[in-house]
Amino acid sequence: ELGLYGFQATLIPVLSFEFISLESLFEKLSHPECYGGLVFTSPRALEAIKICLKENSKNEVWLKSLKQRWNTKPAYVVGKATASLVEEIGLIPQGDKSGNAEKLAEYICSREKPSSSALLFPCGALKREVLPTALREKGIPLESLTVYQTTQHADLQEALSSYFSQQGIPASVVFFSPSGVKFCLQHIQKLSGDFINHVKFAAIGPTTAEAMEAAGIPVCCTAESPTPQDLAAGIQKALRLQNC
């Protein structure tokens, strides 16, 4: 998508994920009758389920009965990437146009009644409290289970140094998560030196933009929705305004 605008994009992996509590996750998935539905705000939560389903015995139970029983309940998702993974395990996603936790929380609150069965929320250790807080305020029960931890990618520093030495200072740097800001920013500032002011920093969405602002980075654009198309259009507009 960025290539269509004439940009040369380099993707540098920032994060590594370690999956945890998978037995506990499958135990909870084995009891759809205890829950009112599922909530997914990250593709990683679906990856955790897919790892569980790699075991033949578990996959068999899932295909024979669990999938069908969960499909009588909503599977709320934050965006398109998460929605497609939900479809891969045979469930029907809802709310994928939300784009962020705030809007997904509104969507869920408009559909769920207070004091109904809890929604099961497999999530990461670094999850924000926006969605749980919004649901709690409306009396909608949510049961969170941490199924992955986020750490800095082992090759991050080396990959950034290599990029800067080979390609120089980038016209734009895009962050896709607050963790990306946390793990990358110091390295980028060091490598850019006095030229940091020439770099246009972009965010995939409002949560990431907030983290960037909190770290003292001027945000030149935030994608209107977290899609490659909107991101590319936003960057193109920001760079054109600066005659880059």
Side-chain angles (χ1 to χ4, degrees), residues 35-39 73-76 94 105-119 135 138-141:
Y35 299 98
L38 292 157
V39 179
K73 303 163 189 287
Y76 296 112
Q94 291 184 27
E106 281 172 28
Y107 181 88
I108 293 171
C109 290
S110 71
R111 280 159 174 73
E112 294 291 325
K113 294 182 177 67
S115 311
S116 51
S117 298
L119 298 169
L135 267 56
K138 297 282 186 185
I140 296 163

Side-chain angles (χ1 to χ4, degrees), residues 80-95:
K80 301 241 178 292
T82 310
S84 65
L85 288 169
V86 165
E87 286 168 349
E88 277 180 31
I89 61 166
L91 301 181
I92 300 154
Q94 291 184 27

Side-chain angles (χ1 to χ4, degrees), residues 106-185:
E106 281 172 28
Y107 181 88
I108 293 171
C109 290
S110 71
R111 280 159 174 73
E112 294 291 325
K113 294 182 177 67
S115 311
S116 51
S117 298
L119 298 169
L120 179 59
F121 179 34
C123 56
L126 297 178
K127 78 167 190 311
R128 290 165 72 234
E129 289 304 313
V130 172
L131 188 135
T133 303
L135 267 56
R136 190 163 53 243
E137 283 170 0
K138 297 282 186 185
I140 296 163
L142 184 74
E143 188 181 314
S144 302
L145 176 68
T146 301
V147 294
Y148 67 92
Q149 293 169 336
T150 307
T151 55
Q152 178 176 316
H153 196 283
D155 303 327
L156 174 62
Q157 216 167 329
E158 197 185 319
L160 284 169
S161 299
S162 167
Y163 175 91
F164 275 79
S165 65
Q166 288 171 24
Q167 305 198 45
I169 309 292
S172 177
V173 171
V174 186
F175 287 115
F176 287 83
S177 69
S179 307
V181 178
K182 177 181 153 190
F183 294 139
C184 277
L185 184 57

Side-chain angles (χ1 to χ4, degrees), residues 212-225:
M212 289 161 71
E213 281 160 6
I217 311 178
V219 181
C220 79
C221 83
T222 302
E224 273 186 36
S225 69

Side-chain angles (χ1 to χ4, degrees), residues 2-63:
L2 289 161
L4 294 176
Y5 285 89
F7 299 133
Q8 183 191 346
T10 303
L11 179 66
I12 295 179
V14 174
L15 308 175
S16 287
F17 302 99
E18 180 195 350
F19 294 96
I20 55 174
S21 310
L22 297 183
E23 283 302 322
S24 183
L25 171 60
F26 194 75
E27 175 60 26
K28 291 176 189 299
L29 288 173
S30 300
H31 294 283
E33 70 282 359
C34 298
Y35 299 98
L38 292 157
V39 179
F40 299 109
T41 59
S42 154
R44 254 69 55 193
L46 273 308
E47 283 174 36
I49 293 178
K50 289 175 102 172
I51 291 167
C52 287
L53 299 181
K54 276 184 181 166
E55 273 185 47
N56 285 342
S57 56
K58 288 175 179 168
N59 194 35
E60 210 172 300
V61 177
W62 176 259
L63 294 172

